[in-house]
Amino acid sequence: MKLEIKPRFLLFIALTLFSFVIAVVGVHPVVAKTTEITEILGNENPSYFEQQGKQLYTTNNFTEAIARWQQAAKIYAEQNNILGQARVITNLALAYQQIGDFAQAGANINHSLSLLHSQTAPQKTNAYLQVLAQTLNTQGILQLAQGEERQASMTWQNATEIYQQIGDRTGVIRASINLASALRNLGMYRYAYKVLNPVEQDLQQQPDSLLKAAALRSYGDILRLMGEFQQAQHVLTQSLLIAEKLDSPQEQVKTLFVLGNNWQANKNDRQALKYYQQAATICQQEPTCATGDLPRQVDLAIFKCFLDTENWQQAEKLLPTLRSSLTNLPPNRTNIYQQIIFAQCLITLQQKFPQEQFKQQKSISWQQIESILADTAQKAEITANKRAKAYILGLQGQIYEQQQQWLKAKKLTKQALLLAQTINAPEISYLWQWQLGRIGQAQGNSAQAIAFYTEAVNILQSISQDLTAINVDLQYSFRDSVEPVYRELVSLLLKSDSPDDVSQENLTQARDVIESLQLAELNNFFQEACLEAKPINIDKIDRQAAVIYPIILRDRLEVIVSIPQKPLIHYSIAITQPELEAVIEQFNQTIVIRSRRQFYSSAEKLYDWLIRPVLKDLQENNISTIILVPDGSLRNIPLAALYDGKQYLIEQYRLALNPGLQLLEPRSLEQREFKTLALGLTQPRETFPPLYYVDRELANIKEETTGKILLNEKFTLKALEKQIEFSRFPIIHIATHGQFSSTLDQTFLLAWDSRINISKLDRILRTRNISQTQAIELLVLSACETAAGDNRAALGLAGMAVRAGARSTVATLWAVNDRSTAQLMSKFYQELTRKNISKAEAIRQAQLSLLQTNKYKHPFYWAAYVLLGNWL
């Protein structure tokens, strides 16, 4: 069998490795400064040779620079000038690293440190501390070049502290940028942000300089990785303007490159390509830039952009340029990872666009890709870069996997896995566990494949707190680099000739894997691991509630049903993912057309797939509530409007959606806690139209509960903050425009004076007085909607709910009629105040009240409302 691996997955490792090429984001290595000023009196003056070496180094004449610095070091040693000797030997380490002699570079840096730690060194003086900080800064550069990110981060932390001690602001900025680069490569974006944020604030008070441009670029890139795309754009634009003002083409190219990355992470390949191509044009016109590393890095980004957009012809045109520029490169960190990226891109091109379709014959072949990786492996050996070697071995295994040479593929992949485990790199290990699982499956060894897949998932769960370390572009590649591991494992666990043949053990594991995927998806949505699983036993919570887990796989729909005190039920529907998603899309498009009933067909199909196979079991076990843990595009469906041919599902059962029972702890609403903070807008704001009936909606709520109303100009960000901080409202009702999207920065609520995104809402809710109960019992988001055309937009809805800390959230999937909303909400709060009624029953009765009214009988008016989370 030939494995079909998505091109975007094949780009995953390239995207991951792109974070290791730091030249664009960081600052160039700077040779140690001469601390004493001495006139050049002749060839026996060490300062003369030291300055000559520095000039040669800046023009990339590293061999000649080494010769001059060796002369300077010898004279400083004869003069017993320890600081001068240590400083020059530190510079020698940099030069040796540039020519790929890492052994000599390491020996020099160790020699320099031993001199500085000797008893004869003038310790505790500012001059001594300056040289020590410079030496540590260089040591960090060498450590990072050899894949030792953690050691480099600790070394740069020490250098930063010394620079701060002696008041060297320039040194602090340079070391901070380097430290942020190391933290960035480790996926520790929040820590990198904390390092650079005070530097950025300090720089705003300083005049423009190239160092300021570099620091802002690094800061902007960290913001990008945190998903703050708009703020990143602002900071990067500021960096670009400084580079243009100071007429520095290289700094312009670097910042344009990161701006391109920002747009690509924000899913705009066309805008990204524009910035990359602008960077390429500027670099070609500047001799210093054109002869350095930047052209290759920019061309690689353009190449990847062509692959992402499946522009195979343009990608092919760029191949000769890239192949030529990546030939005979010296063995250093940047060059190694550029070659790995190129090889990974070629694997993508070869797998997606077969050789015979190229206009040029022999454009690429598996043998050529293997040759590139073999050359890169030699460079990795020279530089002792075990992390790079682990990637290379795994990619070599992937090449044989593509050629169905399973024994060679398995051997190389196991070597890659062992090396990754040796260097404690779980973010690499899981990739090769996954690859071994695919190979085992291809060989027909299901048990072995399940074992490897299970270990891959276990690794992902173990590093869930650092999940963003897996990939710097995780926001849009998660679906191809992490999600498939979970889904392919579930597919293996549930695969059988008959659904009845699947063991309870496999069903339980499959259910748990899907729960874990839900958690991972939300953590990815937030770009940080902010949620933790809390196992819940539904049998002890609600014995009349059944949980349905639909699982969308490439070739079928699998459904697992959990009924209290019963074995798990499993059934499978033979429908491909594209076919299922087409029905879902038809349902969502037709149900909002009030003048027609075209939605019946798709509503019945979904009912037949999700509900009918288990209907008898639901009835026999007196189930009154259905909890759906929706998967993929099923998150967007109005569950209440599923149709059995006579009745809607809401007429038969109480309904709730849940992103995972491990995320939101169910408990019933205490009858005494009906104090409500109600906020809303009736007047138009920004580009949003007025909501004429919101005032009536809030007035009806006030009649049923106690609390406070903030309407129109009273509903500001500061007013919300004040009310949350100093008052306790178990129920928060917000009637305003809002949007749920699959991207963090496009999920917001509209206040009178600003948009409130999830991050702001989270910050506001964390201000609650510590003596108060933290959780909001019920959050109602009225008049919000999911982003049109975004089949993962309901991630924003789930994200808004869980990040707000609300036990239950009521929201709408589309822009509903505000007049009918006022009526529905009035009924909802009437029901909610009754004794012994659940939230699910309250919203159900409110929906039925509209359904039973001729004016609002169409599902458009009532089916948009969903209850998320706690249904009790």
Side-chain angles (χ1 to χ4, degrees):
M1 61 176 290
K2 182 174 177 62
L3 291 182
E4 181 182 350
I5 301 176
K6 290 183 179 180
R8 275 194 175 273
F9 160 68
L10 291 168
L11 274 175
F12 160 61
I13 296 175
L15 292 167
T16 306
L17 296 176
F18 220 63
S19 67
F20 291 97
V21 187
I22 64 169
V24 168
V25 176
V27 293
H28 282 305
V30 177
V31 296
K33 298 177 182 177
T34 306
T35 53
E36 66 273 3
I37 301 175
T38 308
E39 291 186 14
I40 299 176
L41 301 175
N43 288 349
E44 293 304 315
N45 189 324
S47 294
Y48 172 76
F49 295 113
E50 188 174 359
Q51 290 299 326
Q52 272 202 330
K54 183 176 180 180
Q55 292 171 3
L56 290 164
Y57 182 93
T58 56
T59 58
N60 296 333
N61 197 337
F62 304 121
T63 303
E64 291 297 322
I66 288 171
R68 299 298 189 278
W69 280 334
Q70 285 175 334
Q71 289 177 283
K74 180 180 178 182
I75 298 171
Y76 278 131
E78 292 170 351
Q79 295 177 351
N80 200 29
N81 185 336
I82 291 177
L83 295 187
Q85 187 182 3
R87 184 177 61 246
V88 173
I89 292 174
T90 294
N91 290 342
L92 277 168
L94 272 179
Y96 277 117
Q97 182 243 341
Q98 290 287 357
I99 64 173
D101 192 341
F102 283 83
Q104 193 62 49
N108 275 274
I109 206 69
N110 289 334
H111 186 195
S112 179
L113 286 170
S114 66
L115 287 170
L116 292 170
H117 293 318
S118 67
Q119 293 182 350
T120 56
Q123 298 184 12
K124 297 185 179 179
T125 65
N126 273 8
Y128 167 82
L129 292 173
Q130 181 77 37
V131 176
L132 177 60
Q134 291 168 344
T135 302
L136 289 173
N137 199 40
T138 299
Q139 185 184 33
I141 292 171
L142 296 179
Q143 288 168 334
L144 191 67
Q146 296 178 85
E148 299 173 355
E149 284 84 3
R150 295 188 186 278
Q151 294 91 324
S153 64
M154 291 186 286
T155 301
W156 277 323
Q157 180 65 49
N158 292 336
T160 302
E161 291 171 357
I162 295 172
Y163 280 128
Q164 289 172 336
Q165 182 181 341
I166 61 179
D168 185 343
R169 295 175 72 185
T170 300
V172 168
I173 293 170
R174 288 191 180 279
S176 296
I177 294 173
N178 287 335
L179 173 57
S181 293
L183 293 170
R184 172 186 185 275
N185 289 352
L186 289 167
M188 302 169 71
Y189 309 141
R190 302 281 164 180
Y191 288 103
Y193 172 81
K194 289 179 180 178
V195 168
L196 289 177
N197 184 252
V199 171
E200 189 267 346
Q201 293 177 3
D202 182 39
L203 284 171
Q204 296 299 341
Q205 311 303 319
Q206 296 184 26
D208 291 341
S209 66
L210 294 182
L211 185 59
K212 181 176 180 178
L216 290 172
R217 180 173 61 249
S218 184
Y219 184 58
D221 195 53
I222 294 300
L223 290 169
R224 170 185 74 91
L225 297 172
M226 292 166 57
E228 301 287 349
F229 302 125
Q230 291 182 351
Q231 190 178 353
Q233 180 79 13
H234 172 75
V235 172
L236 292 170
T237 300
Q238 188 180 356
S239 173
L240 181 62
L241 290 173
I242 294 172
E244 291 173 344
K245 176 183 175 182
L246 298 178
D247 194 24
S248 174
Q250 288 205 61
E251 292 300 312
Q252 291 177 49
V253 170
K254 292 177 183 180
T255 305
L256 285 166
F257 178 88
V258 182
L259 277 164
N261 290 346
N262 190 53
W263 280 105
Q264 192 171 54
N266 205 12
K267 305 179 183 178
N268 192 327
D269 289 310
R270 180 176 296 180
Q271 194 68 19
L273 186 60
K274 174 183 174 182
Y275 279 106
Y276 293 145
Q277 290 175 331
Q278 186 179 349
T281 300
I282 294 173
C283 197
Q284 289 167 1
Q285 297 171 351
E286 170 58 38
T288 305
C289 182
T291 57
D293 294 331
L294 283 174
R296 286 195 303 275
Q297 199 155 347
V298 173
D299 283 344
L300 272 173
I302 293 172
F303 191 56
K304 290 197 311 93
C305 217
F306 287 147
L307 295 182
D308 282 348
T309 55
E310 299 188 354
N311 191 339
W312 312 118
Q313 284 74 26
Q314 289 299 321
E316 185 191 11
K317 289 179 182 178
L318 196 54
L319 265 178
T321 299
L322 278 171
R323 186 178 292 159
S324 174
S325 66
L326 287 163
T327 302
N328 299 323
L329 295 175
N332 62 46
R333 186 175 191 276
T334 298
N335 294 338
I336 288 170
Y337 283 112
Q338 285 183 345
Q339 283 188 279
I340 294 175
I341 292 168
F342 183 53
Q344 182 61 45
C345 288
L346 292 181
I347 292 174
T348 301
L349 198 54
Q350 177 76 345
Q351 195 268 345
K352 180 66 178 179
F353 201 55
Q355 177 69 45
E356 60 270 13
Q357 294 185 33
F358 278 105
K359 293 178 182 178
Q360 300 177 13
Q361 291 300 311
K362 299 181 181 179
S363 293
I364 56 171
S365 67
W366 292 121
Q367 290 72 26
Q368 289 171 323
I369 301 171
E370 287 181 74
S371 176
I372 292 170
L373 287 173
D375 177 67
T376 312
Q378 290 181 350
K379 292 184 174 67
E381 286 286 350
I382 294 170
T383 60
N385 194 330
K386 293 182 179 179
R387 182 178 293 269
K389 188 67 182 294
Y391 275 116
I392 293 165
L393 284 167
L395 286 176
Q396 288 173 324
Q398 190 177 105
I399 289 174
Y400 285 114
E401 177 192 4
Q402 288 295 301
Q403 298 178 88
Q404 302 180 43
Q405 298 186 39
W406 308 121
L407 293 179
K408 288 184 178 180
K410 191 172 185 178
K411 180 181 178 180
L412 286 164
T413 307
K414 281 188 171 181
Q415 291 176 4
L417 175 61
L418 180 61
L419 186 54
Q421 291 171 334
T422 301
I423 62 175
N424 190 27
E427 72 279 8
I428 304 175
S429 298
Y430 99 91
L431 285 171
W432 308 139
Q433 293 278 12
W434 179 16
Q435 189 158 293
L436 286 168
R438 296 196 306 270
I439 294 168
Q441 183 182 6
Q443 290 181 300
N445 193 333
S446 296
Q448 187 182 78
I450 288 173
F452 282 125
Y453 268 105
T454 300
E455 188 56 35
V457 168
N458 289 341
I459 292 172
L460 286 171
Q461 290 176 293
S462 72
I463 61 173
S464 62
Q465 295 302 309
D466 299 308
L467 187 58
T468 49
I470 293 170
N471 186 0
V472 299
D473 292 290
L474 200 59
Q475 181 67 23
Y476 71 90
S477 65
F478 179 91
R479 298 184 70 179
D480 308 295
S481 58
V482 175
E483 183 178 334
V485 186
Y486 292 84
R487 293 198 185 280
E488 289 167 18
L489 173 56
V490 169
S491 181
L492 279 168
L493 289 167
L494 300 181
K495 194 170 186 178
S496 67
D497 295 331
S498 169
D500 296 333
D501 294 338
V502 180
S503 68
Q504 284 293 308
E505 181 182 2
N506 278 17
L507 288 175
T508 300
Q509 185 181 354
R511 180 193 62 185
D512 293 344
V513 169
I514 284 300
E515 285 266 6
S516 298
L517 175 58
Q518 299 280 355
L519 176 65
E521 283 185 303
L522 283 170
N523 279 331
N524 168 61
F525 174 78
F526 291 120
Q527 287 289 282
E528 61 175 322
C530 55
L531 306 174
E532 294 184 7
K534 300 174 183 178
I536 296 294
N537 185 350
I538 193 173
D539 291 15
K540 297 180 180 179
I541 299 169
D542 187 351
R543 293 192 176 184
Q544 291 185 305
V547 185
I548 298 179
Y549 297 85
I551 305 165
I552 301 174
L553 301 177
R554 182 176 55 84
D555 59 343
R556 65 195 191 277
L557 173 67
E558 296 278 5
V559 184
I560 298 174
V561 182
S562 175
I563 293 177
Q565 299 181 319
K566 296 290 181 180
L568 293 173
I569 300 169
H570 166 235
Y571 48 95
S572 183
I573 311 297
I575 182 172
T576 66
Q577 181 175 349
E579 290 171 339
L580 174 62
E581 291 180 345
V583 173
I584 293 171
E585 183 177 3
Q586 182 188 23
F587 184 39
N588 290 335
Q589 287 180 350
T590 55
I591 200 167
V592 295
I593 303 174
R594 285 171 279 183
S595 60
R596 298 179 184 178
R597 297 292 190 273
Q598 292 178 333
F599 63 86
Y600 277 139
S601 174
S602 50
E604 285 192 58
K605 287 179 181 178
L606 290 169
Y607 183 96
D608 289 342
W609 295 334
L610 296 175
I611 306 298
R612 196 177 298 281
V614 78
L615 190 58
K616 182 179 178 181
D617 297 278
L618 298 177
Q619 293 168 347
E620 288 178 351
N621 289 280
N622 298 317
I623 297 300
S624 59
T625 303
I626 291 176
I627 314 302
L628 186 75
V629 180
D631 183 36
S633 52
L634 285 169
R635 293 188 184 98
N636 289 359
I637 66 167
L639 185 63
L642 297 191
Y643 194 63
D644 70 355
K646 296 180 180 179
Q647 286 186 312
Y648 295 107
L649 189 59
I650 194 65
E651 297 180 85
Q652 302 167 336
Y653 294 96
R654 302 165 188 154
L655 304 173
L657 304 180
N658 201 302
L661 293 184
Q662 297 180 5
L663 287 175
L664 296 172
E665 180 184 0
R667 80 170 195 182
S668 57
L669 181 65
E670 296 182 23
Q671 295 298 310
R672 58 183 176 83
E673 296 186 320
F674 289 106
K675 186 178 180 183
T676 303
L677 174 63
L679 312 99
L681 299 178
T682 60
Q683 298 181 21
R685 303 303 296 168
E686 297 185 9
T687 59
F688 295 95
L691 297 167
Y692 296 109
Y693 287 88
V694 161
D695 53 350
R696 181 184 297 181
E697 179 180 337
L698 301 190
N700 291 340
I701 294 170
K702 190 174 182 180
E703 289 181 6
E704 302 297 336
T705 66
T706 61
K708 191 174 185 65
I709 290 179
L710 299 177
L711 188 63
N712 290 328
E713 64 272 9
K714 294 181 180 179
F715 173 23
T716 64
L717 182 61
K718 286 187 177 180
L720 177 61
E721 289 175 334
K722 182 179 178 181
Q723 292 298 326
I724 294 295
E725 183 175 4
F726 296 108
S727 303
R728 184 176 185 276
F729 295 100
I731 301 174
I732 297 178
H733 185 109
I734 304 177
T736 182
H737 289 288
Q739 179 174 280
F740 309 120
S741 172
S742 61
T743 56
L744 193 62
D745 61 341
Q746 293 299 314
T747 297
F748 64 89
L749 304 174
L750 186 66
W752 179 264
D753 57 341
S754 64
R755 295 185 178 190
I756 305 174
N757 61 28
I758 291 182
S759 299
K760 287 181 182 178
L761 184 64
D762 178 49
R763 177 176 55 79
I764 292 169
L765 295 174
R766 289 179 186 271
T767 63
R768 293 167 74 93
N769 190 302
I770 58 174
S771 64
Q772 299 173 0
T773 301
Q774 292 297 307
I776 298 169
E777 293 293 338
L778 176 62
L779 174 66
V780 181
L781 304 174
S782 175
C784 300
E785 60 182 304
T786 55
D790 184 349
N791 62 6
R792 292 168 68 87
L795 271 177
L797 171 56
M800 182 73 78
V802 298
R803 196 59 179 265
R807 298 188 190 278
S808 307
T809 300
V810 173
T812 51
L813 296 176
W814 56 78
V816 292
N817 178 280
D818 60 329
R819 188 170 186 175
S820 62
T821 296
Q823 181 175 323
L824 182 141
M825 285 298 167
S826 176
K827 179 65 174 177
F828 173 60
Y829 282 97
Q830 286 176 20
E831 294 292 325
L832 205 60
T833 55
R834 290 171 51 196
K835 289 185 178 181
N836 301 321
I837 189 168
S838 67
K839 298 175 192 131
E841 181 63 20
I843 193 66
R844 175 173 178 263
Q845 290 300 326
Q847 289 174 292
L848 290 176
S849 71
L850 292 189
L851 172 59
Q852 293 162 4
T853 304
N854 286 334
K855 187 175 183 180
Y856 299 128
K857 193 177 186 66
H858 192 284
F860 167 82
Y861 295 100
W862 49 264
Y865 298 90
V866 293
L867 174 66
L868 189 82
N870 176 17
W871 63 93
L872 296 178

